[in-house]
Amino acid sequence: MSDMILSRRGFISASLLAGGGLLFDLAMPVARAADGTPIILTAFIRILPDNRVIIGAKNAEIGQGAKTMLPMLIAEELDVDWNQVTIEQTHADAKIFGGQSAGGSRTTPREWLPTRQAGAAARAMLVAAAAAQWAVAPESLRTAGGKVSDPASGKSATYASLAAAAAKLPAPDPATLTLKDPATFRIIGQSVGGVDTPAIVAGKPLFGIDFKMPNMLYAVLETCPAHGGTFKSANLDAVKALPGVAHILTVKGDGTPESGYDGVAILSKSWWTANQARETLKVDWDMSAVSSFSTQAYAAQAAEKRKGKADGDIVRTGDIATAFAAAAKTVSADYDYPFLAHGTLEPQNCTALFKDGGIEIWAPTQNPEGGRALVAKALGLPPEKVRINFTRIGGGFGRRLMNDYMVQAASIAAQLPGVPVKLLWTRQQDIQRDFYRPAGWHGFRAALDKGGRLTAFHDHFITFGKDGKPLRSAEMPASELPAGLIDHVLLEQSFLATNMPTGWLRAPGSNALAFVTQAFLDEVAQAAGKDLPTLMLELLGDPRDLPRGGNAPPFVTGRARAVIEKVVTMAGWADRKALPRGTGKGFAFYYSHSGYFAEVVEVAMIDGMPKVKTVWVAGDVGSQIINPINALHQAQGSVIEGLGQALSGQIITQVDGAVEQANYDTHPYLRINDAPQIIVEFVKTAYPPTGLGEPALPPVIPALVNAIHAATGKRIRTLPVTAEMLV
């Protein structure tokens, strides 16, 4: 964790529970970010009188495994058996628990060291208590299975029996803690099933959509079909007169998608009744400012932008003009990709209760503190008057980093004090009211010398922005490869205006940039008379660290080389030309969210469309795979999602500014019968562990289109892949 500096002291308070158990309130400011901001870890470890241990899971669970993984780290260093552990979800409160957001594959790198220190600190206090009782040196004692033992005397004591004495001891200095040698891990590195899996299989209520309260009213919210339209009038009285309708309310947004646009809420004791009443609702919207945006207009504007000078540079190194003038060969191509929706299986929802001048919320949120700030602002409350409870999240992929649904539910509940209100979107609303992965257009050029070496690279990237800056998730980093690997690079950007809210989709930015850069480099490799793995290895050169700016860790070329070499061996890349006609393999590498991943896709053309047969994945996320079965699932899920995006995902807006897609029939995802065999192997390196929620997704998309080219000779430069492209 080179960007973290351990502080000299933390603090631990220990207190007795009724019945003789011990509560460790571990509030340890054990680390500081590079900007000096404390990274505060707070976790509750409760040791019960029967020696069972309850560990609080502080981060939201989306299926990424954090609710199981973080307690695994504590349990390992506490030195208890996993079958002693019960996991409980905490509520959301950064002042108590520290950072609790779930996004950017940051949980593992952020918590790997501090969370282990939390467990080690509690263990140290229990050992100190035993040492004092037995009049021996603490370092002579051993721990295992929730017990402290003295090899010399044969004495042993359970943690529960030491609780009273441990509670009276001073807290250890984190700098004095000795963490376990990874060779002695008994929990970390073992496959542990998800803590919620048995309940999910049994259909027990865990998700936000399941949450219920006595006397709760269900709310549906109608908003303008075009993002940003404002409310003018509606037949409110006619809807209020319908059977079963308890209330009909108007909700005023602040004009930003995060705080919610204007809407009309219908409430009933039955969600079905409220949603049926919505069919009668007739709203007059003012769409004058937002109805001129459309997919067709964006494409035309991008084509014009491509002909002219870019709005500005992202990075410019060397002398592009001279390098292209001296080239033995040049390659050029235009690529583009559409807006994408998240399409979470669980539609957006939130339950809120406004009472006694404050509001309590139950929400499937990836970003609780962001939601707290938005709700506090919308209702004019101090943040401490907003309590947020986590529910399990039925799919996030970045969508639930945005908390518009939380603000909407709170705004409705604030108009009905004392009444619990549950807002639930329909599938159509979920797809049409999203924060979309922005579309983009790329005009590429590459220069090759007489030896087929890449000497210059140029990308004119056209996407969406405002006031000279890219919108959220429309950024391209200055370190985008091959920047940093060759001398002459120009990455420049131009912007279009849009009313579409944009947001982070799993592997933000990377899910699109990997497609265009690695697919174009496959064209460059072909023009140079070589394959893409060979070109990438030539570009990477000798192992070295390339700075990436800011607080980002460097890009380590040796780690990239290792996963490339690994995956071509796994996939039998050298024998790819022996494949039957209409079958092909494609390769791609990408660095995303501190993870190095190389992938090979094999496709067979069936009835004019590619059938993905096998995907090989080689990844490097550091020295330790904390929970192997979950790591495998994360990589496999990323591959499946990426393939679905490439083969069918797109959002189209009509000339009236409204989104065309409304359900999974028009914004489909990969079906189980189309899922390929996915073979995953990890390359372990001597770097701290990093996250796995995202980095396996980006390379599968260019590997797919490169495989289609190998099978058909057709280049796919626009997504999604359609049969017409392959004729």
Side-chain angles (χ1 to χ4, degrees), residues 286-304:
D286 182 353
M287 298 188 292
S288 58
V290 296
S291 61
S292 60
F293 298 102
S294 70
T295 296
Q296 184 177 3
Y298 296 142
Q301 292 165 19
E304 286 300 311

Side-chain angles (χ1 to χ4, degrees), residues 339-343 396-399 401 434-438 473 503-511 593 641 645 669 694 697:
F339 283 100
L340 284 180
H342 294 81
F397 316 121
R399 173 59 179 92
L401 289 167
D434 206 346
F435 289 78
Y436 303 96
R437 192 284 304 275
S473 200
W504 300 289
L505 176 64
R506 191 176 191 175
S510 304
N511 51 45
H593 294 78
E641 184 168 0
Q645 291 175 7
Y669 292 85
E694 290 155 296
L697 187 153

Side-chain angles (χ1 to χ4, degrees), residues 485 535-542 544 555 557 560-561 564:
L485 300 177
L535 175 66
M536 289 303 302
L537 291 173
E538 288 178 355
L539 289 170
L540 292 167
D542 295 331
R544 63 198 190 281
F555 175 79
T557 63
R561 291 187 68 90
I564 291 172

Side-chain angles (χ1 to χ4, degrees), residues 441-494:
W441 297 260
H442 294 257
F444 286 113
R445 293 189 300 150
L448 298 168
D449 65 12
K450 292 180 180 179
R453 291 183 294 271
L454 180 65
T455 58
F457 186 87
H458 175 209
D459 178 14
H460 183 182
F461 175 29
I462 302 166
T463 187
F464 299 93
K466 184 177 181 181
D467 300 327
K469 296 180 180 180
L471 296 183
R472 182 172 41 224
S473 200
E475 306 90 350
M476 176 189 283
S479 57
E480 185 70 30
L481 297 181
L485 300 177
I486 59 176
D487 292 333
H488 308 287
V489 174
L490 173 57
L491 306 179
E492 52 186 353
Q493 196 166 35
S494 294

Side-chain angles (χ1 to χ4, degrees), residues 394-438:
F397 316 121
R399 173 59 179 92
R400 287 178 160 102
L401 289 167
M402 319 308 299
N403 289 287
D404 51 321
Y405 53 93
M406 191 186 294
V407 178
Q408 292 168 355
S411 297
I412 297 168
Q415 298 185 56
L416 299 169
V419 179
V421 172
K422 180 173 184 174
L423 174 68
L424 175 60
W425 293 15
T426 65
R427 174 70 58 209
Q428 177 176 339
Q429 289 176 314
D430 196 59
I431 289 177
Q432 296 183 341
R433 309 303 308 172
D434 206 346
F435 289 78
Y436 303 96
R437 192 284 304 275

